[in-house]
Amino acid sequence: SKYLHALVGKEDLLWREVDELIATKQPKRYDKAVSLLVDLSELAALNHQSPSFTARMDTLRLAHVRKPALLVRFRKAGLTP
């Protein structure tokens, strides 16, 4: 999509925004972070970089293992098993 193509090259910026959103510990911000992660996942698939995304997602999940509300959102969005 045009939207995804506009994000190419901005991955590091998006990951940083995800980290900042999660750091707020606010549910609405979690939703925005998950939305960005879905975009990053689709972008990775488009660029044949899914293994890299999966590794980064695993690191993120482990870093926030004590945030069940966030982990549930990850699972519902299909970002983690």
Side-chain angles (χ1 to χ4, degrees):
S1 79
K2 197 181 279 189
Y3 172 72
L4 279 182
H5 286 288
L7 298 179
V8 172
K10 297 178 182 167
E11 293 88 348
D12 287 340
L13 193 66
L14 294 173
W15 279 105
R16 205 164 29 249
E17 188 175 347
V18 165
D19 288 336
E20 290 168 6
L21 289 165
I22 290 172
T24 67
K25 298 180 183 168
Q26 297 173 1
K28 280 185 182 172
R29 301 284 171 97
Y30 285 174
D31 291 338
K32 174 67 175 156
V34 167
S35 176
L36 288 175
L37 286 166
V38 168
D39 291 344
L40 283 162
S41 173
E42 291 174 5
L43 205 51
L46 194 69
N47 295 324
H48 309 289
Q49 296 175 339
S50 290
S52 170
F53 173 82
T54 301
R56 206 153 175 184
M57 194 65 222
D58 287 346
T59 301
L60 190 65
R61 185 172 43 83
L62 288 172
H64 299 290
V65 74
R66 290 198 172 99
K67 295 178 182 154
L70 181 63
L71 299 181
V72 165
R73 283 170 169 80
F74 287 171
R75 274 195 301 279
K76 282 187 176 174
L79 294 165
T80 58

